[in-house]
Amino acid sequence: MSRTETGGRIDRSRPVAFTFNGKAYRGFAGDTLASALLANGVHLIARSFKYHRPRGVMTAGSEEPSALIQLEKGAYTEPNLRATQVELYEGLSASSQNAWPSVERDVGAVNALLSKIFVAGFYYKTFMHPRSFWMKLYEPMIRRAAGMGKAPTAPDPDIYDKMHLHCDVLVIGGGPAGLMAALAAGRAGARVVLADEQNELGGALLASGGTIDGKPALDWLETAKAGLAAMPEVRVLTRTTATGYYDHNYVVMAERRTDHLPRGRMPGVSRQRLWKVRARQVVLATGAHERPLVFADNDRPGIMLASAAAAYAARYGVRPGKRAVVFTNNDSAYAAAFALADAGIAVAAVVDLRGDVPEAAANALGARGIALRTNAAIVATGGGKRVANVTIMDLTTDGTAVTGDAAVVECDLVAMSGGWNPAVHLFSQSGGKPVFDADRLAFVPGEPVQAQLSAGACNGVFDLAGCLEQGRDAGIAAASAAGFEADASPALPEAERTPFGWIRPLWVVPGREKLGHGRAKHFVDFQNDVTAADVRLAVREGYRSVEHLKRYTTMGMGTDQGKTSNVNALAYLAETLGAPIPSVGTTTFRPPYTPVSYGVLAGRDVGELADPVRITPMHPWHTAYGAVFEDVGQWHRPRYYPQGGEDMDAAVRRECRAVRARAGVLDASTLGKIDIQGPDAATFLDRVYVNGFAKLAVGRCRYGLMCHEDGMVYDDGVTSRLGDQHFLMTTTTGNAAKVLDVLEDYRQTEWPELRVFLTSVTEHWAVAQIAGPEARAIVAKLAPDADLDPERFPFMAWREAGIADIPGRIFRISFTGESSYELNVPAQHGLAMWQALIAAGEEHGLTPFGTETMHVLRAEKGFIIVGQETDATVTPHDLGLGRMVSKVKADFVGKRSFTRADTSRENRKQLVGLLPADPKAVPVEGAQLTADGRTEAPVPMIGHVTSAYWSETLGRSIALALLEAGGERHGETVFAHAGSGAPVACVVQAPVFYDPAGERLHA
C-alpha cells in the first residue's frame, strides 16, 4: 500500500474492507474512497465523458471533476458521486462508470481517435440533415450517449427528512475563518448555526501544518470545537452542504446523515436531511478552490492539484505517488512540495512559470535537494493509464512559446497549481456580483445585497492569520447587526502572516506544438473534455459571451459546475478576444452548489404523500354505496354510482333521468371556497372579476369570471355576499389553490393599500347540491324553518338555516339547469347531513349522482367548465359571456387586453353547440373541426370539440365546441375528425340545448 508509516487523521486501528470494480481492497476509518484507492495504488478510476480518456483523482473535495463513480448496486445505487467525498464504510461497493466493458479496456476510447471531429458544437453541426434521420437515428443515439452513470430503476429504500430552522447568524464553512466567526457570534449570545460539508470541522487546517498561538494548528482546532460545543445557542452541522442561497437570507442545506454508514443498517433513520434555514445574518466562509494549469495532456491519472496531493499525504497518510514534479505559477505550491517531501515522496523538481520566485522558498528547495526550474513549463506528459513522465522546456520572455532543449523527467505524480478561485458560488446565488481581483487573478465577492458578509479564502484572503482575523471580525459584525452586544472577543489567535506573492497569468501554457495541432490536448474542463482549442474555435465561430461559450462547448456544465474550469475558460476567452477579464464576466452560479438527490428534495412527500388524496366528509357513504371514483385535482370524487351491474353509460343515463324527472344529489364539498373580508373586500372583487360585485346586495349571489392580464379566462364561480364587508367566493375544484395564490399575489404586491383578508375555507364546509323538480320538497323536510318560497328565496340568493338541526347555509344556485339548492354545513357534520338528506329524499326518488352526470347536465344547459371549454386562449366574449364584462368599472384584471386587435378580431374561436347529423354518434372530445368532410391533407382546422355526450334528456348526442366565427355559423354543417374513422357531420347551433329560457332553474 502507498501509505505513510504514521500520521494523518485516519484510524489505523479500524481497517475497512471495500470493493472497487469487483476487486477487494482495504482502507481505514476516516478514509474517503479516493484516498483509499490511492493508498491501494489505484489511480485509473473513470473515463471522461466525450473522449473516454483515462481519468483519476484530481482534487480532494467537492470540486472533483474526474473521479466520478457508481456507488453500490440495486436499489441503493447512485451515479456520478465524487470519490473524493464518499466516506469509506465497511462493505462499500463502487465501480467505474462511462466505460465498457471495463475502465481498463474501454471501447469508447476510440472517440479519442476521432477527436478532430468531436469538437465544440459537434452535435449542432452534425445532427441536422437529413431530417428523416432525427427520430429514428440521431435522437436515440444521443440519448444512449447522454449521461455517465446509471440511475437506479428500483424504488428508493431510504427515507429523507426536511427541517425548518431560524437563527441569528448562519456561518457556512467550518475552516479557520468560519470557526472564528461562529466563536465570535456565539460568545455574543447569538443563535448560531455553523455548517460545513466535511465530516469534521477544520477546513484547510485538517491538511496543513502551521501553528496557532505557538501550538500546532490542530490543537487550536480542538479547543475551538470544544468552545463551540459548550455554547447552548450554537448548532454545528457537519456533512452539510449549503446548496442554495435565496432571497431574504433563505439558505437550503443538504445534510448527509448516514451516507458514511453501510446501506440499510439504520432502518427508520433518515439518510439525508434538507435544512431550510432563515437567518438574520449570514457569514460565508466557504474557502477557495485551487485552479489547475492548462498544459498539454494535463488530464492523465496522477496529475492532480498541489493542495490535493498535500492533503492526501497530510490528512490521509497516503502517498499519491513515489516521484513527483510540482508545476506552479504562484507561491502556494511550494508548501505542497515540502509536504510531499515530508511524506517520503521524492520531489524531482519544482517547475515555476515565473522567473522571479521567493528567495526563501528557493533556498528551502535547495536545502532539501529539490531542483527548481524557473521561467519554465511542462510542455508534454507521457504515460497511458497513469502519468509516467513530463517534458520541461524554458519559456520565451513573453511566455507565448517555449525554447531551448527539452528535458524529460520521470515521475508518477504531477502536482499543479494555477492559483486559487474563491468559492463565490453562494455569494453569487444571493444576488451579489463578483468582482475581478487583478492581483490574485480571481473573482472575489463584491458588494453584498443581503444581510451577509464574506470572510477568509472565499473573500480573497489566503493566509491563515488573515482568515482568522476576517472570520472574527465577520462574526462580531454579524452578531451586532442581529442585535447583540459583541465586543472584541474572542481574542485574535496568533498565526503566521504569509504574503500572497504574485501569480503569472499564463491561462494556456504553450507547448511544443501549436494549439489545436498535433495530438496533445490542453484541457480546460476535465469532466466534459473541453479544451483550449474548443474555446478558440468558439471565438472563431462568433461566440463572444461567456454564457454562449458555456453552452456551445459545454464548459462548466458538469456535476462540478465549473469549479475548476470556469476562470481558466473565461480568462482564456478574454485573452483570445483581446478584452479585459472583467468585461467577459462570469457564468451564472446556479443552485445546487453540488448535486443533491431527488430523495432529499422530496423528503417524506413520496408515494401516497407525493400528491395526497383528499376526500370529503361523505366519502364513507359513497364507498359503501358503490361509487366509482375519479381524481379531480387532489380530490377523490364519485364519478357515478352503478347499480345492478350497470356500466358507466347506463348509470349516467339513469342518474340524468332522475335529476330531470324528480331529484338528484351531488357531493359538491370539493368546490374551492375562499372567505373574503375587510372594508375593501368589494373593491377587491371588482378588480379581480370582469363583472361588478360592489353593488351586490347582502343575501344575494353572483356568477363571476376571472381573467389573467391577457384577458383570457382562468376561473369562474359564484360569489355570495354574506355581509357588508364579507363575501364567500367559490372556485373550480382543481383550481382552488391557484386562485387563492393569484388573489394573494394581487393583494400583497399590486394593491397592498386594500384592507382585505383572504382565507381558504374549502375544508371547513361540507356541501350537498340537490337538483330537480322535487328538490324544494326535500330541502323543506330538512330545513322546516327556512322560507323556500321562490318569491322570497329566488334563484341566486342564500340564507342561513338549520339543516337537519345543524346550523348551516342554503344557496339557491344551479349547475344543472334544474331548481337547485346547495346545502352547506360545517364539515364535521357533513356525513350526518348527507344521511339525513338521503332519508328525507327516499319517497321523492332522490338519486345520488356523480361528476359524469353533472357534466352531461351542465352541457345540456351550455354551462362551461373552465379547463374544458377554455384553454388559456379564450376570452369571455369567445364564450358568449361578453355581456358580463363591465363597461362601467374603471379597471379590472384583463380589461386593457380586450382592446387588443387580436383579442377583438371577428374570426376568433367562439363557443357553439353541435348536433351530430347522426343522433347516435357522439363526437370525440378534442376532435378537430373542418368546414368539409375531406380527409386528405392538408385540411384547414377551424375549431375543436370541447365536450361531447349522449343526452338522455334529449334522446340524442350533443357537443360543445370552439369554432372560428362560431356565432355567425349557426345552421352550418361542420365535420369532427378524430383518429382514422369517418368524420362526424354536425350542425352548428347555440350552445344551450335544454330549457333555453331558464324556466326550470327559476321554478
Side-chain angles (χ1 to χ4, degrees), residues 174-176 196 198 201-209 218 311 315 420 464:
D196 189 84
Q198 299 196 71
L201 299 177
L205 297 179
L206 300 173
S208 62
L218 293 178
R315 181 175 179 181
W420 293 84
L464 179 56

mmCIF file of all heavy atoms in Angstrom, residues 174-176 196 198 201-209 218 311 315 420 464:
data_model
loop_
_atom_site.group_PDB
_atom_site.id
_atom_site.type_symbol
_atom_site.label_atom_id
_atom_site.label_comp_id
_atom_site.label_asym_id
_atom_site.label_seq_id
_atom_site.Cartn_x
_atom_site.Cartn_y
_atom_site.Cartn_z
ATOM 1 N N GLY A 174 -16.603 25.592 7.811
ATOM 2 C CA GLY A 174 -16.023 25.325 9.118
ATOM 3 C C GLY A 174 -14.519 25.363 9.146
ATOM 4 O O GLY A 174 -13.901 24.691 9.982
ATOM 5 N N GLY A 175 -13.913 26.131 8.236
ATOM 6 C CA GLY A 175 -12.475 26.319 8.277
ATOM 7 C C GLY A 175 -12.100 27.369 9.308
ATOM 8 O O GLY A 175 -12.928 27.779 10.135
ATOM 9 N N PRO A 176 -10.855 27.846 9.288
ATOM 10 C CA PRO A 176 -10.432 28.816 10.310
ATOM 11 C C PRO A 176 -11.284 30.071 10.343
ATOM 12 O O PRO A 176 -11.621 30.568 11.423
ATOM 13 C CB PRO A 176 -8.974 29.108 9.931
ATOM 14 C CG PRO A 176 -8.795 28.597 8.544
ATOM 15 C CD PRO A 176 -9.750 27.476 8.397
ATOM 16 N N ASP A 196 -20.787 22.807 7.681
ATOM 17 C CA ASP A 196 -19.618 22.504 6.863
ATOM 18 C C ASP A 196 -19.857 21.195 6.128
ATOM 19 O O ASP A 196 -20.445 20.259 6.688
ATOM 20 C CB ASP A 196 -18.360 22.383 7.724
ATOM 21 C CG ASP A 196 -17.096 22.277 6.885
ATOM 22 O OD1 ASP A 196 -16.575 23.328 6.480
ATOM 23 O OD2 ASP A 196 -16.651 21.143 6.616
ATOM 24 N N GLN A 198 -17.715 18.931 5.166
ATOM 25 C CA GLN A 198 -16.853 17.803 5.502
ATOM 26 C C GLN A 198 -17.359 17.081 6.748
ATOM 27 O O GLN A 198 -18.245 17.551 7.445
ATOM 28 C CB GLN A 198 -15.420 18.281 5.713
ATOM 29 C CG GLN A 198 -14.821 18.929 4.471
ATOM 30 C CD GLN A 198 -13.324 19.055 4.556
ATOM 31 O OE1 GLN A 198 -12.588 18.059 4.479
ATOM 32 N NE2 GLN A 198 -12.835 20.273 4.723
ATOM 33 N N LEU A 201 -15.062 19.550 11.414
ATOM 34 C CA LEU A 201 -14.683 20.939 11.237
ATOM 35 C C LEU A 201 -13.169 21.062 11.064
ATOM 36 O O LEU A 201 -12.409 20.176 11.437
ATOM 37 C CB LEU A 201 -15.130 21.760 12.451
ATOM 38 C CG LEU A 201 -16.632 21.804 12.750
ATOM 39 C CD1 LEU A 201 -16.902 22.588 14.026
ATOM 40 C CD2 LEU A 201 -17.391 22.408 11.582
ATOM 41 N N GLY A 202 -12.764 22.168 10.498
ATOM 42 C CA GLY A 202 -11.337 22.426 10.357
ATOM 43 C C GLY A 202 -10.929 22.947 9.001
ATOM 44 O O GLY A 202 -9.954 23.679 8.881
ATOM 45 N N GLY A 203 -11.650 22.547 7.959
ATOM 46 C CA GLY A 203 -11.325 23.026 6.626
ATOM 47 C C GLY A 203 -9.896 22.729 6.251
ATOM 48 O O GLY A 203 -9.397 21.601 6.391
ATOM 49 N N ALA A 204 -9.168 23.742 5.784
ATOM 50 C CA ALA A 204 -7.791 23.566 5.330
ATOM 51 C C ALA A 204 -6.860 23.165 6.456
ATOM 52 O O ALA A 204 -5.784 22.590 6.209
ATOM 53 C CB ALA A 204 -7.299 24.853 4.665
ATOM 54 N N LEU A 205 -7.231 23.435 7.718
ATOM 55 C CA LEU A 205 -6.366 23.062 8.838
ATOM 56 C C LEU A 205 -6.175 21.553 8.922
ATOM 57 O O LEU A 205 -5.161 21.083 9.447
ATOM 58 C CB LEU A 205 -6.962 23.569 10.153
ATOM 59 C CG LEU A 205 -7.107 25.087 10.317
ATOM 60 C CD1 LEU A 205 -7.746 25.401 11.661
ATOM 61 C CD2 LEU A 205 -5.756 25.778 10.180
ATOM 62 N N LEU A 206 -7.139 20.783 8.430
ATOM 63 C CA LEU A 206 -7.058 19.330 8.511
ATOM 64 C C LEU A 206 -5.946 18.759 7.645
ATOM 65 O O LEU A 206 -5.519 17.620 7.856
ATOM 66 C CB LEU A 206 -8.401 18.705 8.096
ATOM 67 C CG LEU A 206 -9.619 19.106 8.929
ATOM 68 C CD1 LEU A 206 -10.887 18.543 8.303
ATOM 69 C CD2 LEU A 206 -9.461 18.622 10.361
ATOM 70 N N ALA A 207 -5.491 19.536 6.681
ATOM 71 C CA ALA A 207 -4.499 19.010 5.737
ATOM 72 C C ALA A 207 -3.244 19.861 5.680
ATOM 73 O O ALA A 207 -2.399 19.651 4.810
ATOM 74 C CB ALA A 207 -5.111 18.902 4.349
ATOM 75 N N SER A 208 -3.126 20.830 6.564
ATOM 76 C CA SER A 208 -1.954 21.702 6.509
ATOM 77 C C SER A 208 -1.288 21.763 7.874
ATOM 78 O O SER A 208 -1.902 21.451 8.898
ATOM 79 C CB SER A 208 -2.360 23.115 6.070
ATOM 80 O OG SER A 208 -3.246 23.688 7.011
ATOM 81 N N GLY A 209 -0.057 22.173 7.869
ATOM 82 C CA GLY A 209 0.663 22.328 9.124
ATOM 83 C C GLY A 209 0.413 23.699 9.696
ATOM 84 O O GLY A 209 -0.703 24.198 9.714
ATOM 85 N N LEU A 218 -3.823 22.081 14.713
ATOM 86 C CA LEU A 218 -4.848 21.104 15.039
ATOM 87 C C LEU A 218 -5.189 21.125 16.532
ATOM 88 O O LEU A 218 -6.307 20.778 16.914
ATOM 89 C CB LEU A 218 -4.412 19.701 14.614
ATOM 90 C CG LEU A 218 -4.308 19.496 13.097
ATOM 91 C CD1 LEU A 218 -3.819 18.092 12.772
ATOM 92 C CD2 LEU A 218 -5.647 19.755 12.410
ATOM 93 N N ALA A 311 -2.858 17.238 0.719
ATOM 94 C CA ALA A 311 -3.924 16.817 1.628
ATOM 95 C C ALA A 311 -3.938 15.306 1.790
ATOM 96 O O ALA A 311 -4.111 14.790 2.905
ATOM 97 C CB ALA A 311 -5.271 17.310 1.123
ATOM 98 N N ARG A 315 -3.433 14.522 5.540
ATOM 99 C CA ARG A 315 -4.677 14.183 6.225
ATOM 100 C C ARG A 315 -4.977 12.696 6.216
ATOM 101 O O ARG A 315 -5.510 12.154 7.183
ATOM 102 C CB ARG A 315 -5.834 14.950 5.596
ATOM 103 C CG ARG A 315 -7.177 14.688 6.260
ATOM 104 C CD ARG A 315 -8.263 15.566 5.682
ATOM 105 N NE ARG A 315 -9.558 15.297 6.294
ATOM 106 C CZ ARG A 315 -10.691 15.903 5.970
ATOM 107 N NH1 ARG A 315 -10.674 16.853 5.037
ATOM 108 N NH2 ARG A 315 -11.829 15.594 6.582
ATOM 109 N N TRP A 420 -5.763 30.359 -7.113
ATOM 110 C CA TRP A 420 -6.923 29.984 -6.307
ATOM 111 C C TRP A 420 -8.160 30.761 -6.732
ATOM 112 O O TRP A 420 -8.077 31.950 -7.018
ATOM 113 C CB TRP A 420 -6.638 30.250 -4.827
ATOM 114 C CG TRP A 420 -5.560 29.348 -4.297
ATOM 115 C CD1 TRP A 420 -4.207 29.532 -4.382
ATOM 116 C CD2 TRP A 420 -5.761 28.105 -3.629
ATOM 117 N NE1 TRP A 420 -3.549 28.482 -3.810
ATOM 118 C CE2 TRP A 420 -4.479 27.587 -3.326
ATOM 119 C CE3 TRP A 420 -6.891 27.380 -3.240
ATOM 120 C CZ2 TRP A 420 -4.306 26.375 -2.668
ATOM 121 C CZ3 TRP A 420 -6.722 26.178 -2.582
ATOM 122 C CH2 TRP A 420 -5.436 25.682 -2.293
ATOM 123 N N LEU A 464 -3.316 32.186 6.796
ATOM 124 C CA LEU A 464 -4.038 31.736 7.980
ATOM 125 C C LEU A 464 -4.373 32.884 8.916
ATOM 126 O O LEU A 464 -5.501 32.983 9.413
ATOM 127 C CB LEU A 464 -3.213 30.661 8.706
ATOM 128 C CG LEU A 464 -3.819 30.083 9.987
ATOM 129 C CD1 LEU A 464 -5.204 29.518 9.722
ATOM 130 C CD2 LEU A 464 -2.889 29.009 10.554
#
